[in-house]
Amino acid sequence: SQELEQSPQSLIVQEGKNLTINCTSSKTLYGLYWYKQKYGEGLIFLMMLQKGGEEKSHEKITAKLDEKKQQSSLHITASQPSHAGIYLCGADEPYTGRRALTFGSGTRLQVQP
Amino acid sequence: DSGVTQTPKHLITATGQRVTLRCSPRSGDLSVYWYQQSLDQGLQFLIQYYNGEERAKGNILERFSAQQFPDLHSELNLSSLELGDSALYFCASSVPGGYGYTFGSGTRLTVV
C-alpha cells in the first residue's frame, strides 16, 4: 500500500512569514488531498490535486503536485495565527479498488504573533 | 458544518466495555469510511462501506466491527475495550465515483 512521508513534522514560524510543507509518496499519486485539522477537531478539506504539474491556490495557501506525481508541497504565504493546526496529506489508490485515503503523519504548524 | 454527523462527540468508558459510534453521511454520499486517530499511530483507515456493503478493510481489529444501514448511516462497534483504544474516531463520506472525502468532527473515545 501507499506510504506518505511529510516534512517537517513540526514547524514554528513568526506571523507574516512564508512556509512550505512537503509530502512525498512511495508510489505514483493519483489523487493527493490536503487537509487541515485544528487540534482535536475534524479535518477540513483544503485542496485536491490530480495532474502532474498541477497547482491550486485558495487564499494564501498554494498546493502543487510535481510532474512525476510523487511529491506535493503546500505553501502558505504571509502566515497568520489562523493558519495554525495540523496539516495532513492523504492519497487514494482508485486503480487498486481501494478508495480510502492513506494519510501522512501530519505537520504541526504554530504561528507566533 | 461539513454535512457528516457523528455522535456522540465524547465518550468515556471502562476497559472491557462495548460502545457504538454513529455516523450519518452527507446527503447523497453512498460511501462511509471509518478512521482512527491516535497520538502514536496517526490517522489510520479502518473500514469502508458502500451502499450497505463492506468495500474495503484497513487496520481494523477483530474486536471492532461496523455496518451501514439502508438509510446509509453507519455504526462502528468497539468491544472488549482496552486503554489503547482511546483515540479520535472519524467518519468520512464520499459521492459515488467522486474524488471528495468529507469528514465529520469525530468522536473522542477515552477508555479508563
Side-chain angles (χ1 to χ4, degrees), chain B:
Chain B
D1 182 9
S2 67
V4 177
T5 304
Q6 287 190 249
T7 56
K9 289 194 182 303
H10 302 277
L11 200 49
I12 301 175
T13 190
T15 54
Q17 294 299 305
R18 172 190 170 94
V19 297
T20 297
L21 312 184
R22 182 187 170 103
C23 169
S24 293
R26 207 175 47 164
S27 178
D29 288 357
L30 299 182
S31 279
V32 169
Y33 308 79
W34 286 97
Y35 290 84
Q36 179 193 58
Q37 187 179 40
S38 59
L39 283 175
D40 56 344
Q41 293 289 323
L43 196 54
Q44 300 282 320
F45 166 66
L46 296 178
I47 196 164
Q48 176 203 356
Y49 276 81
Y50 176 81
N51 203 20
E53 294 187 2
E54 182 183 303
R55 182 60 65 93
K57 265 188 175 180
N59 302 321
I60 189 166
L61 300 172
E62 286 190 9
R63 300 183 285 110
F64 297 180
S65 65
Q67 53 185 329
Q68 186 178 28
F69 296 87
D71 66 352
L72 301 177
H73 91 271
S74 178
E75 292 181 356
L76 179 67
N77 300 296
L78 314 176
S79 61
S80 302
L81 285 167
E82 302 174 0
L83 295 177
D85 297 327
S86 296
L88 266 170
Y89 290 84
F90 287 106
C91 166
S93 70
S94 68
V95 297
Y99 289 96
Y101 299 84
T102 304
F103 282 77
S105 56
T107 293
R108 180 175 292 280
L109 173 67
T110 303
V111 182
V112 297

Side-chain angles (χ1 to χ4, degrees), chain A residues 59-86:
Chain A
E59 297 181 344
K60 294 184 178 181
I61 301 176
T62 300
K64 300 178 185 179
L65 183 61
D66 74 339
E67 290 288 346
K68 292 184 178 180
K69 295 174 64 175
Q70 284 196 283
Q71 186 169 20
S72 178
S73 61
L74 187 81
H75 183 78
I76 298 177
T77 303
S79 58
Q80 300 170 349
S82 61
H83 288 128
I86 302 171

Side-chain angles (χ1 to χ4, degrees), chain A:
Chain A
S1 62
Q2 196 149 44
E3 289 185 6
L4 297 176
E5 188 173 325
Q6 282 187 243
S7 62
Q9 287 188 319
S10 64
L11 198 51
I12 302 173
V13 300
Q14 288 292 122
E15 183 176 358
K17 296 294 186 185
N18 302 336
L19 63 106
T20 300
I21 298 168
N22 294 303
C23 176
T24 302
S25 172
S26 58
K27 296 182 180 180
T28 299
L29 293 162
Y30 290 101
L32 189 284
Y33 298 75
W34 283 101
Y35 287 88
K36 177 187 174 184
Q37 182 182 23
K38 288 284 191 184
Y39 298 108
E41 297 181 11
L43 279 68
I44 300 168
F45 173 75
L46 296 175
M47 275 169 277
M48 184 260 187
L49 305 165
Q50 276 186 287
K51 301 175 184 176
E54 186 175 10
E55 180 175 319
K56 288 186 177 178
S57 293
H58 178 66
E59 297 181 344
K60 294 184 178 181
I61 301 176
T62 300
K64 300 178 185 179
L65 183 61
D66 74 339
E67 290 288 346
K68 292 184 178 180
K69 295 174 64 175
Q70 284 196 283
Q71 186 169 20
S72 178
S73 61
L74 187 81
H75 183 78
I76 298 177
T77 303
S79 58
Q80 300 170 349
S82 61
H83 288 128
I86 302 171
Y87 289 82
L88 293 152
C89 64
D92 62 8
E93 300 174 80
Y95 297 99
T96 66
R98 172 188 161 112
R99 290 304 309 277
L101 292 177
T102 298
F103 284 93
S105 55
T107 295
R108 290 177 177 268
L109 172 64
Q110 293 180 52
V111 180
Q112 294 181 335

